[in-house]
Amino acid sequence: MTATTVSPASRRFTSMTPVRYLAALLIVGVTVAPLLFVILGGFRTNAQINSDPAGLPSPWVFTNYANILGSESFWRFLGNSALVSVSSTAVAVDLGSMAAFALSRYQFRGREAIYSMFTVGLLFPLGVAILPVYLLLRQLHLLESWVGVALPQAAFALPVTIIILRPFMAAIPTEIEDAAVVDGATRLGFFWRILLPLSRPALVTVSVLAFITSWNGYLLPLLVFNNPANFTLPLGVATFQSQYSQDTASILAFTALSIVPALVFFIFAERHIVGGLTGSVKG
Amino acid sequence: MSATTAAATTDVAAAAGSPSTSSTTPPRRRSHLRKRLELLILIGPATVLFVAFVFLPLIAAGYYSLFDWNGFGPLVDFVGLDNYTKALGDPLFQGAIGHNLFIVVASLVVQLPLSIALALLLNGKIRGRTALRLLVFTPYVLSEAVTAVIWLSLLQPHGVVDGLLEGAGLGGLVQLWLADQNVVMFTLFAVITWKYIGFGIILFLAGLQGVPDELREAASIDGASGWQTTRLIVLPLLGPTIRIWIFLSIIGSLQLFDLVWIMTLGGPGGASTTMASYLIDRGFRRYEFGFGSAVAIILFVICFVFALFYQRFALRRDTQGAITGRVE
């Protein structure tokens, strides 16, 4: 072997670099091109799109976006989505963290059984329970109500919330709890004033996961809402698409605008999504 | 409660040697009643919500599945297991199971190696890595509904995809992407791959962070080729990540609904029906709540049996403390 200052490993990596950039470029292209088409397509007319589907806007047309931003329905869908997602996340994280606290730091009979019950929830989709859930919501007069979407979504978000929070809370040293008790804190006081603040990273992660799941939810809004005034964004986009299927330019503008909130949220939350998904793996 | 009483109760509890706890449990610091109350406050609400909207509906579905019922009025028309035999005997439902299995297998064969390969390529120093991660991950955070609408537009006849293929001189490859029974599942799989491949890449990139550079360097000093290092050192260390990816991928593939419902409604002619779309179609478009419940239970059993076996045989060592739930 020739003696060089470059180790074989790093030399190999250097020689791979062009391939690596090519792969990166390819992935970015495949990922971004459809999104670019949607965004740019919103700036074109239907005539432009029909004559050259993959072309650039010429001239740029702003009426599609302006019409949608000026329409009541887009903002209404956005507001409905926000209301549903924020409440569903709040309920799931509040109740989930309380349950995770009990399941991680209390000894009691039936603890593992209750925990197992929650984990089983992870294994099946909303679809499996949807018929009875629908009947239950009908009975509770929660059809056409945002509560009828937020509550079941929160219930289905509980398993992942508890599964991530429990090991996190269990890992916080008993000495801290003992110290709090010596200082006169009750157990609930310890939970509220010490454990919750210490669990903040995990709480952010589970909040982000619950929020995204709720924000992207389609099945439950589809079944619960018939009145377009109640639609959430995913349902609104899908309905808009089927109603105006001839007006491609408007569909693209509507879709592009509906992506924006998700992207903004994602840019801030990316770290937590990845952390949460891998964290739940490694425990 | 003050600290002194807490210490006192500890002694009392220890002296009484309470029957409900074993000798390994740490001494209790609170009276029995107070602890009960705290537990009720803490676990009660979550349990009620979960039981009401997840657990009981599942039991209810099992019950409804034994009746011929349209969702209104009393359950009187008991049919035993007829709904199950009818569902399992329906060629459309058999097709649906087949379509779900196609997505399961195609994901394992195509997406898994592809996302590992891409993660390996992207691991290491590369300019604009943060931006790259962000871009690659973007489709994953879009809802399936939005993804479906995007690709409906792209895949229109004489749309962008067709235009690009023709522009590249590959006009012969143009298909009726969503209207041809022999093509539609492949089209849907491609869209699914577009949406979820970034998730795999990010997951494996995170997994690769756990493989120490020293190991790879040591291997290559010992004369291992790049492929040998990858196969014998990197891949085994990625094991836990691979196993969790497979788990998530299979469960996701079995549940496929939103994308299918918006893009094809399960058509043409049932060629892209999935178990979940079949269930919603029978339950909510034809009001066959009894029959739909039987389908739901079949879907549940498939997911559950798979998850149980997988956890028992593959996931066990990876997730102790996370899913199997051992604490302390």
Side-chain angles (χ1 to χ4, degrees):
Chain A
M1 191 186 280
T2 51
T4 49
T5 47
V6 187
S7 78
S10 60
R11 196 174 54 212
R12 178 167 55 79
F13 287 153
T14 329
S15 69
M16 289 269 286
T17 302
V19 183
R20 205 181 299 164
Y21 277 101
L22 201 68
L25 215 61
L26 202 71
I27 300 169
V28 170
V30 172
T31 308
V32 172
L35 299 176
L36 270 184
F37 161 77
V38 171
I39 296 165
L40 291 176
F43 288 109
R44 307 173 78 199
T45 62
N46 282 313
Q48 288 181 35
I49 293 174
N50 288 336
S51 64
D52 177 13
L56 290 173
S58 78
W60 288 66
V61 182
F62 296 93
T63 47
N64 300 316
Y65 282 107
N67 284 342
I68 285 159
L69 288 173
S71 77
E72 201 201 341
S73 57
F74 175 76
W75 297 105
R76 194 183 272 268
F77 297 160
L78 191 65
N80 291 338
S81 272
L83 180 63
V84 167
S85 307
V86 169
S87 12
S88 149
T89 306
V91 171
V93 175
D94 282 357
L95 303 192
S97 57
M98 279 157 52
F101 172 56
L103 291 169
S104 61
R105 305 192 74 96
Y106 280 74
Q107 303 286 340
F108 60 94
R109 212 199 302 210
R111 186 177 82 162
E112 296 310 308
I114 293 179
Y115 183 63
S116 303
M117 181 187 76
F118 282 115
T119 54
V120 168
L122 200 63
L123 305 181
F124 65 91
L126 186 64
V128 165
I130 196 70
L131 293 163
V133 164
Y134 177 84
L135 296 176
L136 178 66
L137 293 174
R138 194 174 70 187
Q139 222 156 26
L140 296 171
H141 300 290
L142 288 177
L143 295 183
E144 297 296 345
S145 156
W146 59 272
V147 180
V149 174
L151 276 187
Q153 282 183 342
F156 272 85
L158 279 176
V160 90
T161 305
I162 292 175
I163 287 169
I164 292 178
L165 284 180
R166 180 165 121 138
F168 196 93
M169 290 182 169
I172 289 171
T174 342
E175 287 77 13
I176 295 182
E177 186 170 355
D178 294 340
V181 170
V182 168
D183 287 346
T186 61
R187 228 165 170 192
L188 294 183
F190 162 74
F191 170 63
W192 183 247
R193 273 183 282 171
I194 295 169
L195 193 69
L196 277 187
L198 282 178
S199 307
R200 216 179 132 221
L203 288 173
V204 173
T205 298
V206 294
S207 305
V208 167
L209 291 181
F211 188 85
I212 290 185
T213 312
S214 169
W215 184 269
N216 287 342
Y218 174 72
L219 177 60
L220 207 52
L222 174 72
L223 300 175
V224 170
F225 300 137
N226 271 314
N227 180 357
N230 295 325
F231 283 6
T232 55
L233 214 40
L235 187 56
V237 172
T239 312
F240 191 91
Q241 193 278 330
S242 57
Q243 265 173 0
Y244 300 91
S245 55
Q246 297 310 309
D247 190 356
T248 309
S250 293
I251 294 173
L252 294 177
F254 199 112
T255 311
L257 287 172
S258 77
I259 296 174
V260 173
L263 283 190
V264 171
F265 178 75
F266 164 58
I267 287 170
F268 288 105
E270 182 248 6
R271 207 172 297 269
H272 301 289
I273 304 171
V274 179
L277 293 166
T278 50
S280 67
V281 178
K282 289 174 193 153
Chain B
M1 192 184 279
S2 72
T4 40
T5 16
T9 33
T10 303
D11 292 338
V12 173
S18 87
S20 68
T21 48
S22 69
S23 59
T24 52
T25 30
R28 257 177 286 161
R29 305 185 186 89
R30 293 286 179 275
S31 76
H32 210 69
L33 194 69
R34 191 190 164 94
K35 188 175 132 182
R36 279 279 164 84
L37 194 68
E38 284 176 2
L39 281 173
L40 193 69
I41 294 170
L42 289 169
I43 303 195
T47 308
V48 168
L49 187 71
F50 187 79
V51 167
F53 286 106
V54 183
F55 203 71
L56 281 184
L58 190 64
I59 310 282
Y63 182 63
Y64 299 157
S65 73
L66 305 174
F67 292 84
D68 190 4
W69 189 46
N70 65 3
F72 294 91
L75 284 147
V76 283
D77 205 351
F78 183 82
V79 294
L81 295 178
D82 275 10
N83 285 328
Y84 290 91
T85 47
K86 257 198 323 194
L88 291 170
D90 181 358
L92 194 59
F93 186 59
Q94 292 167 355
I97 298 178
H99 298 144
N100 282 108
L101 289 181
F102 168 77
I103 300 291
V104 167
V105 173
S107 303
L108 292 179
V109 174
V110 176
Q111 289 174 3
L112 181 61
L114 193 62
S115 34
I116 294 178
L118 291 174
L120 283 169
L121 274 174
L122 297 180
N123 190 36
K125 290 193 181 67
I126 188 164
R127 231 176 265 267
R129 216 180 116 146
T130 320
L132 187 68
R133 276 170 61 119
L134 217 60
L135 283 173
V136 162
F137 204 44
T138 306
Y140 179 70
V141 286
L142 302 182
S143 64
E144 283 201 11
V146 163
T147 309
V149 171
I150 292 175
W151 283 95
L152 270 177
S153 313
L154 291 167
L155 291 167
Q156 275 173 358
H158 312 296
V160 181
V161 172
D162 292 0
L164 287 176
L165 282 175
E166 275 156 18
L170 297 168
L173 291 179
V174 169
Q175 305 280 342
L176 288 170
W177 302 108
L178 295 167
D180 185 329
Q181 297 198 334
N182 299 318
V183 176
V184 63
M185 281 313 295
F186 293 96
T187 309
L188 288 176
F189 176 68
V191 176
I192 293 168
T193 305
W194 179 79
K195 177 158 165 44
Y196 289 103
I197 195 86
F199 169 71
I201 294 174
I202 297 289
L203 202 64
F204 289 123
L205 275 175
L208 285 170
Q209 303 281 302
V211 180
D213 282 342
E214 292 78 10
L215 270 182
R216 264 184 280 193
E217 271 170 36
S220 83
I221 287 168
D222 286 348
S225 70
W227 167 240
Q228 280 173 327
T229 315
T230 303
R231 188 169 61 88
L232 297 172
I233 294 180
V234 178
L235 286 185
L237 285 171
L238 268 187
T241 317
I242 293 176
R243 285 190 285 272
I244 200 75
W245 183 93
I246 291 176
F247 181 78
L248 295 173
S249 166
I250 292 182
I251 288 282
S253 304
L254 290 174
Q255 303 175 1
L256 189 62
F257 173 77
D258 298 1
L259 205 71
V260 171
W261 196 252
I262 296 169
M263 291 187 80
T264 67
L265 271 176
S272 64
T273 301
T274 63
M275 288 189 277
S277 82
Y278 183 85
L279 154 66
I280 298 299
D281 179 61
R282 300 302 286 255
F284 288 97
R285 299 183 104 201
R286 307 186 199 186
Y287 294 101
E288 297 175 4
F289 270 58
F291 184 81
S293 296
V295 173
I297 294 297
I298 296 172
L299 176 55
F300 169 73
V301 168
I302 293 176
C303 289
F304 191 73
V305 167
F306 157 72
L308 220 59
F309 273 90
Y310 198 74
Q311 189 170 323
R312 185 85 182 72
F313 295 110
L315 281 180
R316 216 172 138 85
R317 341 166 233 183
D318 308 332
T319 52
Q320 280 196 351
I323 292 179
T324 51
R326 282 203 10 249
V327 178
E328 288 158 359

